[in-house]
Amino acid sequence: MNNTEIEKMLSQKMSENSFAKLTALNNDAVIEFVAKYAELCSPDSIYVCDDSADDRAYIRNKSIENNEEIKLATEGHTIHFDGPKDQARDKANTKYLVKEGVNLGEKLNTKDYQEGYDEVHEFFENSMNGKEMYVRFFCLGPVNSDFSLSCVQITDSAYVAHSEDLLYRTGYEQFKKVGNTKNFFRFVHTAGELENNVSKNVDKRRVFIDLEDNIVYSTNTQYAGNTVGLKKLAMRLAINKCKDEDWLTEHMFVMGVNGPEGRKTYFAGAFPSACGKTSTAMLPGETIIGDDIAYIRPRNGHAQAVNVENGIFGIIRDVNQKDDPIIWDVLNSEGEVIFSNILKDENGKVYWLGMGTETADKGVNYAGEWEKGKKDANGNEVSLAHKNARYTVELDRLDNSDENTQNPEGVTIGGFIYGGRDSDTSVPVAESFNFAHGVLMYGATLESETTAATLGAEGVRTFNLMSILDFLAYPLNDYIQHNLDFGSGLTNPPRVFGVNYFLKSKDGKYLNGMLDKGVWVKWMELRVNGDAETITTPIGNIPLYEDLQKIFSQVLNKEYTKDQYIEQFTIRVPELIAKINRIRKVYENESGSAIEQLFAEFDAQEKRLKELQSEKGDHVSPFDI
Ligand code: SPV
Ligand code: MN
């Protein structure tokens, strides 16, 4: 099509107002992109959004009108259901489209460019018949910031578009300022054919990523982790973009921890899904900037971070008044909340797993009509809500959102935290000997027992370096090297900590309470500022009993006994060596200078552990070190 034909086609599908909004951007690449998918997906109409409150209301109303969201009893609350088989990120069908000669390493899921492109474009054909196409502009990161990136989302799901309003900063005005550029991320999503308002053909679910053109295609799915372009889809593009520049895109929360005498220290933390990341970022008494994705740049010799997002797509399971008071309040008061995949009763009240209050006996959930005791086709009980059910809210709804949340300069990061779900190996908190040791031995060796946040079996110990493996867009060696280079380029790199909230006793009970993480962050805050001593062990520096005892009493008003400390901070030599051996296997087919450095750290750490073992035995109390 030539320009006149494009304009004619677009103006037939959209109102004058939408057309004016689109053309006012004066961006040829945007017009071309919208025209290409308007023609291919063939929606009945197209709606172009700017940053206005009217357009925001339009999208929200559409999600209700389309039955993608149902209004609940509380003002501002809605519920959305994804299909029973569309409840999490689909790792198997998320692939990088690569041209001949491109090798992203064996850990990444790739597909021949042309094959993948053709397949997904075939699925796109006429996929929006009978539907409206929404065209949205967003800014990843705070507006007017050197950290931030622009993007365009095309979707036929008002739920996806509505979620983006809660989760991101709109970027239409910013787009106007950037001029006629191709330098932005693009996302095309279609839920595909619907049945009972959910994607029908989940067997044709695809998330295909084109790193060369900075575009992600997503189809036959509604679950936000597969569809909301700005979240994990943009994260993959940003990881790729920053690899040749001097900054990082990390799967990290950003939070402020209050120290003594009004001091505040910021931390960025990476945890695999459902491992306490959001609840750490939201800890009562501390402040939250973001819970999922950070852009981190060098500034004056420090690491400076912004939250890419403006809201939270958080796991709702086990959110209860006692352990998560801040989000509990938001979920129980008026204001915009999208609940997904939990139970709704006939009065428009909602219930989820582990909410700590009485739940309804019947209603509607992600699997349809539900009543207590309902069995699925295989005779298994259908739970009242899905384990990966979520809530979507804006950050500023939280009482403890940080004053720098929108700061275009970001905040200075005092510490990186890496954590996984580990029942028997690592101590609750330790600090690395230096930046590289932390990145390698806490970040690059991160493992976690799997959860419901991705499809597949739960409870399997899985390697997930820096909790970023699902999103990594280039080979492991280069990513680790990029992190090491980032740190060595700083005069004051962040301290690096490893945490584990999930240590269990021999009889399978958790050794720590949900809020104990509030103690570990206070200790880390002291460490960053040189205010606490440590015990040096083969795996890093661990806290002194007296310091923890004091913090437990101050923060949780809890007694912390010597026995608890010993059980939690015992250095478990055989388990720690077994972990090194597992991770050696993971990397045995990888190569490069970072991998060599990693293997040297494995050897050194193993040697230290064996020395301790020969002197003191398999399990060594911190008091004996
Ligand atoms: C995660 O699983 O890491 C999430 C939710 O933050 S998702 O949007 O599915 O990625
Ligand atoms: Mn995440």
Side-chain angles (χ1 to χ4, degrees):
M1 281 194 284
N2 63 32
N3 284 355
T4 328
E5 284 165 348
I6 286 177
E7 289 196 2
K8 191 167 163 220
M9 187 265 290
L10 288 176
S11 58
Q12 277 167 356
K13 295 245 184 206
M14 58 178 80
S15 68
E16 256 173 54
N17 190 15
S18 273
F19 191 69
K21 282 186 261 187
L22 190 63
T23 48
L25 295 173
N26 285 318
N27 187 311
D28 296 333
V30 169
I31 304 257
E32 220 173 274
F33 177 59
V34 175
K36 177 171 174 180
Y37 291 96
E39 205 189 6
L40 183 66
C41 304
S42 189
D44 286 8
S45 59
I46 302 174
Y47 192 92
V48 178
C49 293
D50 59 19
D51 302 342
S52 66
D54 280 356
D55 280 356
R56 184 180 168 130
Y58 178 87
I59 292 293
R60 183 170 186 274
N61 288 337
K62 275 286 169 186
S63 27
I64 294 162
E65 210 176 280
N66 298 349
N67 279 318
E68 289 185 79
E69 291 174 36
I70 304 160
K71 272 192 176 182
L72 295 169
T74 306
E75 184 58 37
H77 291 198
T78 56
I79 184 165
H80 163 81
F81 294 115
D82 299 301
K85 291 188 183 142
D86 195 22
Q87 294 286 315
R89 276 188 281 111
D90 181 357
K91 290 209 259 184
N93 286 304
T94 301
K95 296 182 183 175
Y96 294 98
L97 301 183
V98 292
K99 296 192 173 150
E100 220 179 299
V102 177
N103 182 358
L104 300 185
E106 64 172 33
K107 297 276 184 305
L108 272 64
N109 207 356
T110 58
K111 188 174 175 73
D112 173 71
Y113 182 91
Q114 202 57 48
E115 245 177 67
Y117 181 92
D118 291 347
E119 183 182 34
V120 76
H121 283 74
E122 195 186 309
F123 293 164
F124 280 154
E125 225 177 295
N126 297 325
S127 58
M128 296 188 188
N129 279 178
K131 300 195 227 170
E132 183 156 73
M133 174 196 264
Y134 308 101
V135 181
R136 312 284 331 253
F137 301 90
F138 291 98
C139 175
L140 292 163
V143 287
N144 301 320
S145 165
D146 295 341
F147 285 77
S148 299
L149 304 172
S150 295
C151 33
V152 183
Q153 168 90 56
I154 287 177
T155 177
D156 59 7
S157 165
Y159 158 70
V160 168
H162 180 206
S163 299
E164 290 177 333
D165 270 321
L166 299 185
L167 293 174
Y168 301 93
R169 292 113 173 159
T170 48
Y172 178 82
E173 290 305 322
Q174 174 165 304
F175 240 95
K176 267 190 178 162
K177 287 187 217 149
V178 296
N180 197 2
T181 172
K182 286 185 178 162
N183 188 13
F184 55 88
F185 290 169
R186 291 172 286 173
F187 308 98
V188 192
H189 164 252
T190 159
E193 198 181 333
L194 301 176
E195 190 173 68
N196 301 324
N197 299 312
V198 302
S199 294
K200 183 179 166 194
N201 305 313
V202 284
D203 55 320
K204 293 183 177 158
R205 179 171 45 208
R206 300 289 182 269
V207 179
F208 285 171
I209 303 137
D210 175 350
L211 295 172
E212 223 171 86
D213 280 341
N214 282 319
I215 178 162
V216 184
Y217 311 107
S218 159
T219 186
N220 294 311
T221 173
Q222 289 163 309
Y223 174 69
N226 298 322
T227 61
V228 168
L230 289 85
K231 202 169 185 59
K232 293 311 189 328
L233 315 191
M235 182 172 159
R236 294 182 177 96
L237 299 181
I239 287 171
N240 182 59
K241 185 178 169 63
C242 68
K243 77 174 191 293
D244 300 320
E245 300 173 10
D246 65 352
W247 56 286
L248 303 176
T249 300
E250 293 300 319
H251 192 203
M252 284 180 163
F253 68 60
V254 182
M255 72 181 294
V257 177
N258 292 306
E261 289 158 24
R263 178 175 77 199
K264 187 192 287 194
T265 306
Y266 289 99
F267 288 84
F271 299 60
S273 310
C275 290
K277 185 174 168 196
T278 299
S279 55
T280 306
M282 270 182 203
L283 270 169
E286 317 301 355
T287 57
I288 176 168
I289 290 195
D291 86 317
D292 202 30
I293 308 168
Y295 293 157
I296 307 171
R297 287 183 180 265
R299 291 282 187 269
N300 306 320
H302 289 92
Q304 196 81 6
V306 299
N307 177 22
V308 172
E309 308 183 286
N310 199 35
I312 301 178
F313 176 58
I315 293 184
I316 198 164
R317 182 188 184 187
D318 292 335
V319 169
N320 64 70
Q321 189 157 25
K322 182 169 143 276
D323 298 326
D324 306 276
I326 295 170
I327 192 67
W328 177 268
D329 281 351
V330 176
L331 301 182
N332 284 283
S333 46
E334 292 187 356
E336 255 182 287
V337 182
I338 309 173
F339 294 90
S340 60
N341 305 321
I342 57 175
L343 181 73
K344 173 183 104 59
D345 73 9
E346 59 188 6
N347 301 317
K349 283 190 67 178
V350 286
Y351 308 90
W352 56 89
L353 298 171
M355 69 190 290
T357 57
E358 218 174 300
T359 53
D361 288 339
K362 62 179 177 95
V364 178
N365 73 5
Y366 68 98
E369 293 288 335
W370 179 88
E371 61 183 14
K372 222 182 190 147
K374 178 178 171 178
K375 301 255 169 36
D376 66 14
N378 301 322
N380 298 321
E381 187 152 340
V382 179
S383 59
L384 113 160
H386 196 272
K387 287 184 193 165
N388 191 35
R390 301 214 170 217
Y391 59 82
T392 303
V393 298
E394 283 173 292
L395 263 165
D396 69 4
R397 297 286 312 284
L398 274 62
D399 279 351
N400 64 340
S401 85
D402 190 272
E403 64 205 8
N404 283 311
T405 302
Q406 306 299 345
N407 188 338
E409 306 297 326
V411 295
T412 300
I413 298 298
F416 279 172
I417 307 172
Y418 295 105
R421 187 175 281 266
D422 165 9
S423 49
D424 61 8
T425 305
S426 311
V427 296
V429 61
E431 182 188 335
S432 67
F433 300 126
N434 52 53
F435 186 82
H437 175 250
V439 161
L440 296 169
M441 295 310 289
Y442 303 155
T445 62
L446 197 65
E447 282 183 312
S448 195
E449 291 152 20
T450 49
T451 67
T454 57
L455 302 172
E458 287 175 48
V460 183
R461 195 147 26 199
T462 312
F463 164 74
N464 191 353
L465 85 159
M466 282 81 153
S467 107
I468 211 166
L469 186 60
D470 290 359
F471 317 108
L472 207 56
Y474 60 99
L476 270 54
N477 174 73
D478 305 357
Y479 169 71
I480 298 169
Q481 189 67 53
H482 189 51
N483 263 265
L484 293 173
D485 292 347
F486 179 81
S488 49
L490 302 173
T491 43
N492 287 298
R495 303 273 189 127
V496 186
F497 300 91
V499 300
N500 173 25
Y501 305 151
F502 300 94
L503 209 51
K504 286 181 179 170
S505 62
K506 280 197 194 71
D507 53 5
K509 290 208 184 77
Y510 284 117
L511 291 182
N512 290 105
M514 291 280 271
L515 289 175
D516 290 4
K517 49 177 89 81
V519 172
W520 317 141
V521 297
K522 288 289 198 224
W523 180 76
M524 292 186 257
E525 201 281 337
L526 295 177
R527 282 297 301 158
V528 170
N529 295 285
D531 287 344
E533 297 297 317
T534 60
I535 300 170
T536 299
T537 81
I539 55 160
N541 297 317
I542 64 170
L544 303 184
Y545 169 66
E546 293 71 27
D547 289 336
L548 292 183
Q549 186 193 31
K550 204 158 115 197
I551 307 173
F552 263 98
S553 153
Q554 280 167 353
V555 177
L556 299 177
N557 198 15
K558 249 169 66 173
E559 193 197 349
Y560 187 60
T561 66
K562 275 193 176 151
D563 285 347
Q564 285 175 308
Y565 172 71
I566 292 169
E567 194 172 12
Q568 294 168 15
F569 285 89
T570 281
I571 302 300
R572 297 165 179 80
V573 177
E575 289 88 340
L576 287 159
I577 292 179
K579 174 172 176 176
I580 293 176
N581 285 331
R582 280 195 301 276
I583 307 295
R584 277 191 176 116
K585 279 218 173 66
V586 168
Y587 284 103
E588 69 189 354
N589 294 327
E590 306 288 324
S591 57
S593 62
I595 301 294
E596 278 166 30
Q597 205 175 329
L598 181 62
F599 275 84
E601 284 291 352
F602 290 158
D603 293 347
Q605 190 136 315
E606 184 177 27
K607 185 160 169 274
R608 290 192 295 267
L609 283 163
K610 285 193 165 153
E611 277 165 12
L612 181 69
Q613 188 179 34
S614 66
E615 232 178 280
K616 306 267 166 72
D618 281 353
H619 285 186
V620 186
S621 156
F623 287 117
D624 292 339
I625 298 179

